[in-house]
Amino acid sequence: MKIDKNTLIGDLINKKPNSVNILMSYEMGCLGCPSAQMETLEQAAYIHGIDLEELLQKLN
């Protein structure tokens, strides 16, 4: 699975469960929230003040 800025968090967690550890290391503690499931990585990075390119590198 190629992960990019448009990848939905819900899809990512379902297809790569180990990605939760990476997301949690960025203090994304609301991964189980219904709204987070339909949020893109780009949106989440913006909301949490995370460098999107760095996050994508770690997830890929």
Side-chain angles (χ1 to χ4, degrees):
M1 170 183 187
K2 176 69 174 161
I3 300 165
D4 63 27
K5 67 180 185 175
N6 296 312
T7 301
L8 296 177
I9 291 177
D11 290 344
L12 175 63
I13 293 170
N14 286 331
K15 293 179 182 173
K16 287 185 77 174
N18 63 330
S19 64
V20 170
N21 293 331
I22 295 170
L23 297 173
M24 293 296 286
S25 74
Y26 284 94
E27 299 183 11
M28 289 188 185
C30 58
L31 299 175
C33 300
S35 60
Q37 298 296 304
M38 298 305 296
E39 193 171 64
T40 66
L41 287 172
E42 182 177 42
Q43 292 167 325
Y46 175 78
I47 290 167
H48 292 278
I50 296 167
D51 182 300
L52 177 61
E53 292 306 316
E54 177 183 307
L55 177 61
L56 292 174
Q57 285 180 354
K58 287 188 178 185
L59 290 169
N60 280 300

Short mmCIF file of all heavy atoms in Angstrom, two decimals:
data_model
loop_
_atom_site.label_atom_id
_atom_site.label_comp_id
_atom_site.label_asym_id
_atom_site.label_seq_id
_atom_site.Cartn_x
_atom_site.Cartn_y
_atom_site.Cartn_z
N MET A 1 0.85 -1.18 0.00
CA MET A 1 0.00 0.00 0.00
C MET A 1 0.89 1.24 0.00
O MET A 1 1.72 1.42 0.89
CB MET A 1 -0.90 -0.01 1.25
CG MET A 1 -1.65 1.27 1.48
SD MET A 1 -2.61 1.22 3.02
CE MET A 1 -3.48 2.75 2.85
N LYS A 2 0.72 2.08 -1.00
CA LYS A 2 1.43 3.36 -1.06
C LYS A 2 0.64 4.37 -0.25
O LYS A 2 -0.55 4.58 -0.47
CB LYS A 2 1.58 3.82 -2.51
CG LYS A 2 2.21 5.18 -2.67
CD LYS A 2 3.66 5.17 -2.28
CE LYS A 2 4.27 6.55 -2.61
NZ LYS A 2 5.48 6.79 -1.91
N ILE A 3 1.30 4.98 0.70
CA ILE A 3 0.65 5.94 1.57
C ILE A 3 1.01 7.34 1.10
O ILE A 3 2.19 7.65 0.91
CB ILE A 3 1.11 5.72 3.03
CG1 ILE A 3 0.74 4.31 3.46
CG2 ILE A 3 0.49 6.76 3.94
CD1 ILE A 3 1.45 3.85 4.71
N ASP A 4 -0.02 8.17 0.89
CA ASP A 4 0.22 9.55 0.48
C ASP A 4 -0.66 10.49 1.30
O ASP A 4 -1.37 10.06 2.20
CB ASP A 4 0.02 9.74 -1.02
CG ASP A 4 -1.41 9.46 -1.47
OD1 ASP A 4 -2.36 9.62 -0.67
OD2 ASP A 4 -1.60 9.12 -2.65
N LYS A 5 -0.59 11.76 0.97
CA LYS A 5 -1.31 12.77 1.76
C LYS A 5 -2.81 12.59 1.75
O LYS A 5 -3.51 13.05 2.65
CB LYS A 5 -0.95 14.18 1.27
CG LYS A 5 -1.46 14.49 -0.13
CD LYS A 5 -1.07 15.87 -0.54
CE LYS A 5 -1.69 16.22 -1.89
NZ LYS A 5 -1.40 17.62 -2.23
N ASN A 6 -3.34 11.89 0.75
CA ASN A 6 -4.78 11.68 0.63
C ASN A 6 -5.27 10.39 1.28
O ASN A 6 -6.47 10.10 1.25
CB ASN A 6 -5.20 11.71 -0.84
CG ASN A 6 -4.94 13.06 -1.45
OD1 ASN A 6 -5.30 14.09 -0.89
ND2 ASN A 6 -4.28 13.08 -2.60
N THR A 7 -4.36 9.62 1.84
CA THR A 7 -4.73 8.37 2.51
C THR A 7 -5.58 8.68 3.74
O THR A 7 -5.22 9.53 4.55
CB THR A 7 -3.48 7.57 2.93
OG1 THR A 7 -2.69 7.30 1.76
CG2 THR A 7 -3.85 6.28 3.62
N LEU A 8 -6.71 8.01 3.84
CA LEU A 8 -7.57 8.18 5.01
C LEU A 8 -6.99 7.42 6.20
O LEU A 8 -6.49 6.30 6.04
CB LEU A 8 -8.98 7.66 4.73
CG LEU A 8 -9.77 8.38 3.65
CD1 LEU A 8 -11.12 7.69 3.44
CD2 LEU A 8 -9.99 9.84 4.02
N ILE A 9 -7.05 8.02 7.36
CA ILE A 9 -6.51 7.38 8.56
C ILE A 9 -7.19 6.04 8.81
O ILE A 9 -6.53 5.06 9.14
CB ILE A 9 -6.63 8.31 9.78
CG1 ILE A 9 -5.67 9.49 9.60
CG2 ILE A 9 -6.35 7.57 11.07
CD1 ILE A 9 -5.74 10.53 10.68
N GLY A 10 -8.49 5.97 8.62
CA GLY A 10 -9.21 4.70 8.80
C GLY A 10 -8.69 3.61 7.88
O GLY A 10 -8.49 2.47 8.32
N ASP A 11 -8.45 3.94 6.62
CA ASP A 11 -7.91 2.96 5.67
C ASP A 11 -6.51 2.53 6.06
O ASP A 11 -6.16 1.35 5.99
CB ASP A 11 -7.88 3.54 4.25
CG ASP A 11 -9.27 3.73 3.66
OD1 ASP A 11 -10.24 3.14 4.19
OD2 ASP A 11 -9.38 4.47 2.66
N LEU A 12 -5.70 3.50 6.47
CA LEU A 12 -4.33 3.21 6.87
C LEU A 12 -4.30 2.24 8.04
O LEU A 12 -3.57 1.24 8.01
CB LEU A 12 -3.61 4.51 7.25
CG LEU A 12 -2.21 4.38 7.80
CD1 LEU A 12 -1.26 3.78 6.77
CD2 LEU A 12 -1.70 5.73 8.28
N ILE A 13 -5.09 2.50 9.06
CA ILE A 13 -5.10 1.65 10.24
C ILE A 13 -5.60 0.25 9.91
O ILE A 13 -5.07 -0.74 10.41
CB ILE A 13 -5.96 2.29 11.36
CG1 ILE A 13 -5.27 3.56 11.86
CG2 ILE A 13 -6.21 1.31 12.50
CD1 ILE A 13 -6.12 4.41 12.79
N ASN A 14 -6.59 0.15 9.03
CA ASN A 14 -7.11 -1.16 8.64
C ASN A 14 -6.10 -1.97 7.83
O ASN A 14 -6.00 -3.18 8.00
CB ASN A 14 -8.40 -1.02 7.85
CG ASN A 14 -9.57 -0.64 8.72
OD1 ASN A 14 -9.62 -0.97 9.90
ND2 ASN A 14 -10.52 0.08 8.14
N LYS A 15 -5.36 -1.32 6.94
CA LYS A 15 -4.43 -2.03 6.06
C LYS A 15 -3.04 -2.19 6.64
O LYS A 15 -2.32 -3.12 6.28
CB LYS A 15 -4.36 -1.32 4.72
CG LYS A 15 -5.68 -1.42 3.97
CD LYS A 15 -5.65 -0.69 2.65
CE LYS A 15 -7.03 -0.80 1.99
NZ LYS A 15 -7.15 0.00 0.79
N LYS A 16 -2.64 -1.27 7.52
CA LYS A 16 -1.32 -1.34 8.15
C LYS A 16 -1.47 -1.04 9.64
O LYS A 16 -1.16 0.06 10.10
CB LYS A 16 -0.37 -0.33 7.51
CG LYS A 16 0.11 -0.70 6.12
CD LYS A 16 1.12 0.30 5.60
CE LYS A 16 2.48 0.04 6.26
NZ LYS A 16 3.55 0.89 5.69
N PRO A 17 -1.95 -2.02 10.41
CA PRO A 17 -2.20 -1.78 11.84
C PRO A 17 -0.98 -1.28 12.61
O PRO A 17 -1.13 -0.54 13.58
CB PRO A 17 -2.65 -3.15 12.35
CG PRO A 17 -3.11 -3.89 11.16
CD PRO A 17 -2.32 -3.36 9.99
N ASN A 18 0.22 -1.65 12.17
CA ASN A 18 1.41 -1.19 12.87
C ASN A 18 1.65 0.31 12.71
O ASN A 18 2.45 0.90 13.43
CB ASN A 18 2.65 -1.96 12.40
CG ASN A 18 2.95 -1.76 10.93
OD1 ASN A 18 2.06 -1.53 10.12
ND2 ASN A 18 4.22 -1.86 10.57
N SER A 19 0.91 0.95 11.80
CA SER A 19 1.04 2.40 11.61
C SER A 19 0.52 3.18 12.82
O SER A 19 0.89 4.33 13.02
CB SER A 19 0.29 2.85 10.35
OG SER A 19 -1.10 2.61 10.49
N VAL A 20 -0.30 2.53 13.64
CA VAL A 20 -0.84 3.18 14.83
C VAL A 20 0.31 3.65 15.73
O VAL A 20 0.28 4.75 16.28
CB VAL A 20 -1.80 2.25 15.60
CG1 VAL A 20 -2.15 2.83 16.97
CG2 VAL A 20 -3.05 2.00 14.79
N ASN A 21 1.35 2.83 15.86
CA ASN A 21 2.49 3.20 16.70
C ASN A 21 3.16 4.47 16.19
O ASN A 21 3.55 5.32 16.98
CB ASN A 21 3.50 2.06 16.76
CG ASN A 21 2.96 0.85 17.48
OD1 ASN A 21 2.13 0.97 18.36
ND2 ASN A 21 3.41 -0.32 17.09
N ILE A 22 3.29 4.60 14.89
CA ILE A 22 3.91 5.80 14.30
C ILE A 22 3.02 7.01 14.54
O ILE A 22 3.50 8.06 14.97
CB ILE A 22 4.18 5.59 12.80
CG1 ILE A 22 5.22 4.48 12.61
CG2 ILE A 22 4.64 6.90 12.15
CD1 ILE A 22 5.38 4.01 11.18
N LEU A 23 1.73 6.87 14.29
CA LEU A 23 0.81 7.99 14.49
C LEU A 23 0.78 8.41 15.96
O LEU A 23 0.77 9.60 16.27
CB LEU A 23 -0.59 7.62 14.00
CG LEU A 23 -0.71 7.33 12.50
CD1 LEU A 23 -2.11 6.82 12.18
CD2 LEU A 23 -0.38 8.54 11.67
N MET A 24 0.78 7.46 16.86
CA MET A 24 0.77 7.76 18.30
C MET A 24 2.06 8.46 18.72
O MET A 24 2.05 9.27 19.65
CB MET A 24 0.55 6.50 19.12
CG MET A 24 -0.83 5.87 18.94
SD MET A 24 -2.17 6.91 19.52
CE MET A 24 -1.96 6.73 21.28
N SER A 25 3.17 8.16 18.05
CA SER A 25 4.44 8.82 18.40
C SER A 25 4.38 10.32 18.08
O SER A 25 5.17 11.10 18.60
CB SER A 25 5.61 8.16 17.68
OG SER A 25 5.64 8.51 16.31
N TYR A 26 3.43 10.70 17.23
CA TYR A 26 3.19 12.12 16.91
C TYR A 26 2.06 12.69 17.76
O TYR A 26 1.52 13.75 17.43
CB TYR A 26 2.86 12.27 15.43
CG TYR A 26 4.06 12.16 14.53
CD1 TYR A 26 4.41 10.96 13.96
CD2 TYR A 26 4.84 13.28 14.26
CE1 TYR A 26 5.51 10.85 13.13
CE2 TYR A 26 5.94 13.18 13.44
CZ TYR A 26 6.28 11.97 12.87
OH TYR A 26 7.38 11.87 12.05
N GLU A 27 1.70 11.98 18.80
CA GLU A 27 0.65 12.40 19.74
C GLU A 27 -0.72 12.54 19.09
O GLU A 27 -1.52 13.40 19.45
CB GLU A 27 1.07 13.69 20.46
CG GLU A 27 2.34 13.49 21.27
CD GLU A 27 2.75 14.71 22.07
OE1 GLU A 27 1.96 15.67 22.18
OE2 GLU A 27 3.87 14.69 22.59
N MET A 28 -1.00 11.67 18.13
CA MET A 28 -2.33 11.60 17.53
C MET A 28 -3.14 10.59 18.35
O MET A 28 -3.30 9.44 17.97
CB MET A 28 -2.25 11.15 16.07
CG MET A 28 -1.67 12.15 15.14
SD MET A 28 -1.87 11.57 13.44
CE MET A 28 -0.99 12.82 12.58
N GLY A 29 -3.63 11.04 19.47
CA GLY A 29 -4.31 10.15 20.40
C GLY A 29 -5.77 9.88 20.07
O GLY A 29 -6.41 9.07 20.72
N CYS A 30 -6.30 10.55 19.07
CA CYS A 30 -7.74 10.40 18.78
C CYS A 30 -7.98 9.51 17.56
O CYS A 30 -8.94 9.72 16.82
CB CYS A 30 -8.35 11.79 18.56
SG CYS A 30 -7.58 12.72 17.23
N LEU A 31 -7.16 8.51 17.36
CA LEU A 31 -7.26 7.67 16.18
C LEU A 31 -8.57 6.89 16.12
O LEU A 31 -9.03 6.54 15.05
CB LEU A 31 -6.09 6.70 16.11
CG LEU A 31 -4.72 7.37 16.01
CD1 LEU A 31 -3.62 6.32 16.08
CD2 LEU A 31 -4.61 8.18 14.74
N GLY A 32 -9.17 6.63 17.25
CA GLY A 32 -10.43 5.89 17.28
C GLY A 32 -11.66 6.74 17.10
O GLY A 32 -12.77 6.23 16.97
N CYS A 33 -11.49 8.05 17.10
CA CYS A 33 -12.63 8.96 16.94
C CYS A 33 -13.25 8.78 15.56
O CYS A 33 -12.53 8.63 14.58
CB CYS A 33 -12.20 10.41 17.10
SG CYS A 33 -11.48 10.81 18.68
N PRO A 34 -14.57 8.83 15.47
CA PRO A 34 -15.22 8.68 14.16
C PRO A 34 -14.73 9.69 13.12
O PRO A 34 -14.52 9.34 11.97
CB PRO A 34 -16.70 8.88 14.47
CG PRO A 34 -16.83 8.51 15.91
CD PRO A 34 -15.54 8.91 16.55
N SER A 35 -14.51 10.92 13.53
CA SER A 35 -14.08 11.93 12.55
C SER A 35 -12.66 11.66 12.08
O SER A 35 -12.32 11.92 10.92
CB SER A 35 -14.19 13.33 13.14
OG SER A 35 -13.37 13.46 14.28
N ALA A 36 -11.81 11.11 12.93
CA ALA A 36 -10.43 10.82 12.54
C ALA A 36 -10.38 9.72 11.48
O ALA A 36 -9.49 9.71 10.64
CB ALA A 36 -9.61 10.41 13.76
N GLN A 37 -11.32 8.81 11.53
CA GLN A 37 -11.34 7.71 10.56
C GLN A 37 -11.51 8.20 9.12
O GLN A 37 -11.03 7.58 8.19
CB GLN A 37 -12.46 6.71 10.92
CG GLN A 37 -12.30 6.06 12.26
CD GLN A 37 -11.06 5.20 12.35
OE1 GLN A 37 -10.87 4.30 11.55
NE2 GLN A 37 -10.20 5.48 13.31
N MET A 38 -12.20 9.31 8.95
CA MET A 38 -12.46 9.85 7.61
C MET A 38 -11.57 11.04 7.27
O MET A 38 -11.77 11.72 6.29
CB MET A 38 -13.94 10.25 7.49
CG MET A 38 -14.90 9.10 7.65
SD MET A 38 -14.58 7.72 6.50
CE MET A 38 -14.89 8.52 4.93
N GLU A 39 -10.53 11.24 8.08
CA GLU A 39 -9.61 12.35 7.89
C GLU A 39 -8.41 11.87 7.08
O GLU A 39 -7.95 10.75 7.26
CB GLU A 39 -9.16 12.80 9.28
CG GLU A 39 -8.45 14.10 9.37
CD GLU A 39 -8.26 14.49 10.83
OE1 GLU A 39 -7.54 13.78 11.55
OE2 GLU A 39 -8.85 15.49 11.24
N THR A 40 -7.91 12.72 6.19
CA THR A 40 -6.71 12.35 5.43
C THR A 40 -5.48 12.62 6.29
O THR A 40 -5.53 13.37 7.27
CB THR A 40 -6.59 13.17 4.13
OG1 THR A 40 -6.39 14.55 4.47
CG2 THR A 40 -7.80 13.00 3.24
N LEU A 41 -4.38 12.04 5.90
CA LEU A 41 -3.14 12.29 6.61
C LEU A 41 -2.74 13.76 6.50
O LEU A 41 -2.20 14.33 7.44
CB LEU A 41 -2.03 11.39 6.07
CG LEU A 41 -2.13 9.94 6.48
CD1 LEU A 41 -1.11 9.10 5.74
CD2 LEU A 41 -1.97 9.78 7.98
N GLU A 42 -3.03 14.37 5.37
CA GLU A 42 -2.72 15.79 5.20
C GLU A 42 -3.50 16.63 6.21
O GLU A 42 -2.94 17.54 6.85
CB GLU A 42 -3.04 16.23 3.78
CG GLU A 42 -2.70 17.69 3.52
CD GLU A 42 -2.96 18.09 2.08
OE1 GLU A 42 -4.00 17.69 1.51
OE2 GLU A 42 -2.11 18.82 1.54
N GLN A 43 -4.78 16.35 6.37
CA GLN A 43 -5.61 17.08 7.32
C GLN A 43 -5.12 16.87 8.75
O GLN A 43 -5.01 17.82 9.52
CB GLN A 43 -7.07 16.64 7.20
CG GLN A 43 -7.73 17.04 5.90
CD GLN A 43 -9.06 16.33 5.68
OE1 GLN A 43 -9.24 15.17 6.05
NE2 GLN A 43 -10.00 17.03 5.07
N ALA A 44 -4.81 15.63 9.09
CA ALA A 44 -4.35 15.32 10.44
C ALA A 44 -3.02 16.01 10.74
O ALA A 44 -2.82 16.54 11.83
CB ALA A 44 -4.22 13.81 10.62
N ALA A 45 -2.11 15.98 9.78
CA ALA A 45 -0.81 16.63 9.97
C ALA A 45 -1.00 18.12 10.19
O ALA A 45 -0.36 18.71 11.08
CB ALA A 45 0.09 16.37 8.77
N TYR A 46 -1.87 18.73 9.43
CA TYR A 46 -2.12 20.17 9.58
C TYR A 46 -2.70 20.49 10.96
O TYR A 46 -2.21 21.38 11.65
CB TYR A 46 -3.07 20.65 8.48
CG TYR A 46 -3.46 22.09 8.63
CD1 TYR A 46 -2.59 23.11 8.26
CD2 TYR A 46 -4.70 22.44 9.16
CE1 TYR A 46 -2.95 24.45 8.42
CE2 TYR A 46 -5.07 23.77 9.33
CZ TYR A 46 -4.19 24.77 8.95
OH TYR A 46 -4.54 26.09 9.12
N ILE A 47 -3.70 19.73 11.36
CA ILE A 47 -4.37 19.97 12.65
C ILE A 47 -3.40 19.79 13.82
O ILE A 47 -3.44 20.54 14.79
CB ILE A 47 -5.59 19.03 12.80
CG1 ILE A 47 -6.69 19.46 11.83
CG2 ILE A 47 -6.10 19.01 14.23
CD1 ILE A 47 -7.80 18.46 11.67
N HIS A 48 -2.50 18.80 13.71
CA HIS A 48 -1.59 18.49 14.81
C HIS A 48 -0.24 19.19 14.69
O HIS A 48 0.64 18.97 15.53
CB HIS A 48 -1.40 16.98 14.92
CG HIS A 48 -2.63 16.26 15.37
ND1 HIS A 48 -3.00 16.15 16.69
CD2 HIS A 48 -3.60 15.63 14.66
CE1 HIS A 48 -4.13 15.48 16.78
NE2 HIS A 48 -4.52 15.15 15.56
N GLY A 49 -0.06 19.99 13.64
CA GLY A 49 1.20 20.71 13.47
C GLY A 49 2.39 19.80 13.18
O GLY A 49 3.49 20.02 13.66
N ILE A 50 2.14 18.77 12.36
CA ILE A 50 3.15 17.76 12.05
C ILE A 50 3.67 17.98 10.63
O ILE A 50 2.91 18.31 9.72
CB ILE A 50 2.53 16.35 12.16
CG1 ILE A 50 2.11 16.10 13.60
CG2 ILE A 50 3.48 15.28 11.67
CD1 ILE A 50 1.23 14.88 13.78
N ASP A 51 4.96 17.77 10.44
CA ASP A 51 5.56 17.84 9.11
C ASP A 51 5.05 16.66 8.29
O ASP A 51 5.38 15.50 8.58
CB ASP A 51 7.09 17.79 9.23
CG ASP A 51 7.79 17.91 7.89
OD1 ASP A 51 7.56 17.03 7.02
OD2 ASP A 51 8.57 18.85 7.72
N LEU A 52 4.25 16.95 7.29
CA LEU A 52 3.59 15.91 6.49
C LEU A 52 4.59 15.01 5.79
O LEU A 52 4.46 13.79 5.79
CB LEU A 52 2.63 16.53 5.48
CG LEU A 52 1.92 15.58 4.53
CD1 LEU A 52 1.06 14.57 5.30
CD2 LEU A 52 1.08 16.35 3.53
N GLU A 53 5.62 15.59 5.18
CA GLU A 53 6.60 14.78 4.44
C GLU A 53 7.35 13.82 5.36
O GLU A 53 7.59 12.67 5.00
CB GLU A 53 7.57 15.69 3.69
CG GLU A 53 6.92 16.47 2.55
CD GLU A 53 6.17 15.58 1.55
OE1 GLU A 53 6.72 14.51 1.16
OE2 GLU A 53 5.04 15.93 1.19
N GLU A 54 7.68 14.28 6.55
CA GLU A 54 8.36 13.41 7.52
C GLU A 54 7.44 12.26 7.92
O GLU A 54 7.87 11.10 7.99
CB GLU A 54 8.74 14.23 8.75
CG GLU A 54 9.39 13.42 9.86
CD GLU A 54 9.67 14.27 11.09
OE1 GLU A 54 10.30 15.33 10.95
OE2 GLU A 54 9.25 13.85 12.18
N LEU A 55 6.18 12.56 8.18
CA LEU A 55 5.21 11.53 8.56
C LEU A 55 5.06 10.50 7.45
O LEU A 55 5.07 9.30 7.70
CB LEU A 55 3.86 12.18 8.89
CG LEU A 55 2.72 11.23 9.23
CD1 LEU A 55 3.03 10.40 10.47
CD2 LEU A 55 1.42 12.01 9.42
N LEU A 56 4.93 10.96 6.21
CA LEU A 56 4.78 10.04 5.07
C LEU A 56 5.99 9.15 4.91
O LEU A 56 5.86 7.96 4.61
CB LEU A 56 4.49 10.82 3.79
CG LEU A 56 3.14 11.53 3.73
CD1 LEU A 56 3.04 12.38 2.48
CD2 LEU A 56 1.99 10.53 3.80
N GLN A 57 7.17 9.69 5.11
CA GLN A 57 8.40 8.88 5.01
C GLN A 57 8.39 7.77 6.04
O GLN A 57 8.72 6.63 5.73
CB GLN A 57 9.64 9.74 5.19
CG GLN A 57 9.97 10.59 3.99
CD GLN A 57 11.21 11.45 4.21
OE1 GLN A 57 11.76 11.50 5.31
NE2 GLN A 57 11.61 12.14 3.17
N LYS A 58 8.01 8.09 7.26
CA LYS A 58 7.99 7.06 8.31
C LYS A 58 6.93 6.00 8.06
O LYS A 58 7.14 4.82 8.33
CB LYS A 58 7.77 7.72 9.68
CG LYS A 58 9.00 8.46 10.15
CD LYS A 58 8.84 8.93 11.57
CE LYS A 58 10.13 9.63 11.99
NZ LYS A 58 10.10 10.01 13.39
N LEU A 59 5.78 6.42 7.52
CA LEU A 59 4.70 5.47 7.27
C LEU A 59 4.99 4.57 6.07
O LEU A 59 4.53 3.43 6.03
CB LEU A 59 3.38 6.21 7.06
CG LEU A 59 2.80 6.86 8.32
CD1 LEU A 59 1.65 7.79 7.94
CD2 LEU A 59 2.35 5.82 9.32
N ASN A 60 5.73 5.08 5.12
CA ASN A 60 6.07 4.28 3.93
C ASN A 60 7.34 3.48 4.17
O ASN A 60 7.65 2.56 3.53
CB ASN A 60 6.22 5.16 2.69
CG ASN A 60 4.87 5.51 2.10
OD1 ASN A 60 4.12 4.65 1.73
ND2 ASN A 60 4.58 6.79 2.02
#
